[in-house]
C-alpha cells in the first residue's frame, strides 16, 4: 500500500513536471502553427479537462481502486494465475494495460456511440499538451467500464495500476504536444514510444491517416497490427475532423453537448468560410520550420 502511495505521488510530480517542460518547449520549438489563439484554446481545453477530472473522481476512481484491491485479495485475473515476482507482474500489467488501451482507442473510433464522445477530443483544431487533457466527461464515464474489465481480466493490483498511470500520463502529454524534436531524436524515440509527429498523423483530417497510430504508449502495438504510419510529411497534415473545421463549431457551448445531439457526417469535408486562410497560415509556418 505504501508503494502504491509513493508511486501515485511520484507519478503526479512527473506528470506535472512533464506538462511544464512541454509548455516551455511548445513555445520555443513549435511543430505546427496554431490555428486558434493559445489563450482561447487553453481555457476551453482546461474547462473540458476539469469536467473530465470530476468524472474521473466520480466514475473511474470509485470503480478502479476497489477492483485493484479485490484483484490483490482474491488473486483474480490472468497475471494471478501464476505466482510472479512483484516487479515482473507490474511490468506485464503495464504492457497489457497499454495493449488493451490500444484496443479501446480503436473501438472509440469504430463504434458510433463511442465516437460521439471521442470526437470531442479530435475536433480540436490544434494539437498540443492541452489536447491531451481534453476528453469529454462522457468518454471518461464510459471508459470506466472498460477500465474495470481491464483490471479484472488482466489481474491488475493497486501497485501495477499506479505504475501504469505513472507511465501513461506523461506519455499522453508528450505525444499530443506541439514540440518539434530534432528528427533523428524523434526517429529513435518513436521506435519505442509514441511521439508528437506520430500522433499528429492520428489527428489528421485524412481518414486513412486518422485510422493509424492508435497506440497511447508503446508503438509496438501499431507495429504488430500493421497500423503504424510514419510516412506522412508533417507540413501536409491538417489537424482536426473534416466536418468541424470552423472555429465557431468547436467552441465550449458546442462541444459539451456535442455527443448528445444529432451527429454530422464527420469525415465529409465541409469547407469553412476561412478555410483557405487557415491553410495558408499553416503551410507558411511549416515551410519556415522545415
Ligand atoms: Zn483517437
Amino acid at each position: 500500500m505504501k508503494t502504491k502511495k509513493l508511486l501515485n505521488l511520484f507519478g503526479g510530480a512527473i506528470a506535472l513536471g512533464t506538462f511544464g517542460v512541454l509548455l516551455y518547449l511548445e513555445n520555443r520549438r513549435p511543430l505546427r502553427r496554431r490555428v486558434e489563439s493559445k489563450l482561447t484554446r487553453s481555457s476551453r481545453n482546461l474547462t473540458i479537462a476539469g469536467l473530465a477530472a470530476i468524472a474521473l473522481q466520480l466514475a473511474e476512481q470509485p470503480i478502479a481502486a476497489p477492483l485493484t484491491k479485490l484483484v490483490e485479495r482474491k488473486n483474480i485475473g490472468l497475471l494471478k494465475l501464476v505466482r510472479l515476482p512483484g516487479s515482473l507482474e507490474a511490468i506485464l500489467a503495464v504492457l497489457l494495460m497499454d495493449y488493451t488501451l490500444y484496443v479501446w482507442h480503436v473501438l472509440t473510433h469504430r463504434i458510433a456511440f463511442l465516437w460521439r464522445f471521442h470526437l470531442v477530443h479530435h475536433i480540436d483544431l490544434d494539437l498540443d499538451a492541452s489536447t491531451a487533457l481534453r476528453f469529454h466527461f462522457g468518454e471518461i464515464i464510459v471508459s470506466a467500464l472498460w477500465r474495470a474489465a481491464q483490471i479484472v481480466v488482466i489481474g491488475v493490483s493497486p501497485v501495477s495500476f499506479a505504475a501504469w498511470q505513472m507511465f501513461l500520463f506523461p506519455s499522453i502529454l508528450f505525444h499530443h504536444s506541439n514540440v518539434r524534436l530534432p528528427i533523428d531524436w524523434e526517429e529513435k524515440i518513436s521506435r519505442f514510444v509514441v511521439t508528437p509527429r506520430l500522433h499528429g498523423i492520428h489527428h489528421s483530417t485524412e481518414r486513412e491517416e486518422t485510422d493509424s497510430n492508435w497506440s497511447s504508449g508503446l508503438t509496438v502495438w501499431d507495429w504488430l497490427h500493421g497500423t503504424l504510419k510514419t510516412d506522412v510529411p508533417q507540413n501536409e497534415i491538417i489537424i482536426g475532423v473534416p466536418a468541424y473545421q470552423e472555429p465557431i463549431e468547436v467552441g465550449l457551448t458546442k462541444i459539451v453537448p456535442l455527443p448528445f445531439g444529432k451527429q454530422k457526417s464527420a469525415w465529409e469535408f465541409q469547407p469553412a468560410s476561412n478555410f483557405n486562410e487557415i491553410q495558408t497560415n499553416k503551410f507558411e509556418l511549416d515551410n519556415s520550420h522545415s
Side-chain angles (χ1 to χ4, degrees):
M1 191 50 68
K2 214 172 167 193
T3 320
K4 187 202 144 199
K5 275 197 176 143
L6 272 175
L7 281 175
N8 276 339
L9 213 68
F10 193 50
I14 290 180
L16 217 66
T18 307
F19 194 54
V21 170
L22 290 172
L23 284 185
Y24 172 77
L25 289 175
E26 282 179 339
N27 230 13
R28 292 292 301 265
R29 299 179 55 87
L31 177 60
R32 298 165 284 261
R33 185 189 175 93
R34 285 198 292 270
V35 173
E36 289 192 279
S37 100
K38 179 98 173 165
L39 187 68
T40 311
R41 265 193 70 251
S42 298
S43 46
R44 180 194 303 142
N45 287 359
L46 291 179
T47 306
I48 298 288
L51 293 172
I54 294 170
L56 205 66
Q57 287 305 316
L58 294 180
E60 184 175 308
Q61 273 302 98
I63 298 176
L67 276 181
T68 56
K69 286 180 195 159
L70 189 73
V71 161
E72 190 77 332
R73 221 174 36 246
K74 305 260 182 195
N75 281 327
I76 300 168
L78 280 174
L79 294 175
K80 297 292 186 186
L81 290 176
V82 277
R83 274 211 173 278
L84 296 166
S87 49
L88 179 62
E89 187 193 305
I91 291 169
L92 290 175
V94 171
L95 286 175
L96 290 172
M97 286 295 284
D98 196 44
Y99 176 61
T100 44
L101 193 62
Y102 168 97
V103 176
W104 172 251
H105 189 189
V106 175
L107 294 178
T108 61
H109 281 253
R110 296 279 183 255
I111 298 175
F113 173 73
L114 298 178
W115 173 244
R116 284 172 172 259
F117 298 100
H118 192 56
L119 173 67
V120 173
H121 173 68
H122 270 270
I123 60 173
D124 201 349
L125 298 175
D126 294 292
L127 186 63
D128 63 19
S130 75
T131 317
L133 308 171
R134 174 202 158 116
F135 284 92
H136 194 276
F137 64 86
E139 181 166 357
I140 303 293
I141 293 171
V142 180
S143 71
L145 300 172
W146 185 260
R147 197 78 69 244
Q150 284 177 297
I151 292 168
V152 173
V153 174
I154 297 169
V156 182
S157 68
V159 169
S160 299
F161 193 66
W164 171 67
Q165 287 182 317
M166 195 171 84
F167 163 71
L168 181 72
F169 291 142
S171 166
I172 287 183
L173 288 169
F174 170 63
H175 64 240
H176 282 93
S177 75
N178 187 24
V179 174
R180 180 175 290 266
L181 294 174
I183 195 78
D184 52 330
W185 286 30
E186 177 126 1
E187 270 170 11
K188 285 192 185 95
I189 298 170
S190 66
R191 284 178 207 157
F192 305 99
V193 295
V194 184
T195 53
R197 283 179 176 90
L198 278 187
H199 202 65
I201 296 172
H202 176 68
H203 275 260
S204 162
T205 48
E206 291 290 327
R207 182 80 192 263
E208 185 202 328
E209 291 167 10
T210 310
D211 288 348
S212 69
N213 301 353
W214 310 94
S215 296
S216 298
L218 302 173
T219 41
V220 67
W221 315 125
D222 273 307
W223 182 74
L224 287 173
H225 282 273
T227 53
L228 184 65
K229 206 169 187 44
T230 58
D231 59 350
V232 183
Q234 287 294 306
N235 58 6
E236 287 178 12
I237 295 173
I238 298 163
I239 298 294
V241 171
Y244 298 88
Q245 282 289 301
E246 294 225 41
I248 196 168
E249 290 186 276
V250 297
L252 205 52
T253 53
K254 290 280 170 81
I255 62 177
V256 174
L258 184 62
F260 312 110
K262 193 172 179 294
Q263 300 291 295
K264 283 205 267 183
S265 183
W267 300 99
E268 266 171 40
F269 182 69
Q270 291 163 25
S273 51
N274 59 344
F275 186 74
N276 287 338
E277 192 186 317
I278 292 169
Q279 295 319 305
T280 309
N281 287 340
K282 288 183 87 146
F283 286 124
E284 269 169 11
L285 177 107
D286 286 331
N287 290 335
S288 69
H289 277 269
S290 39

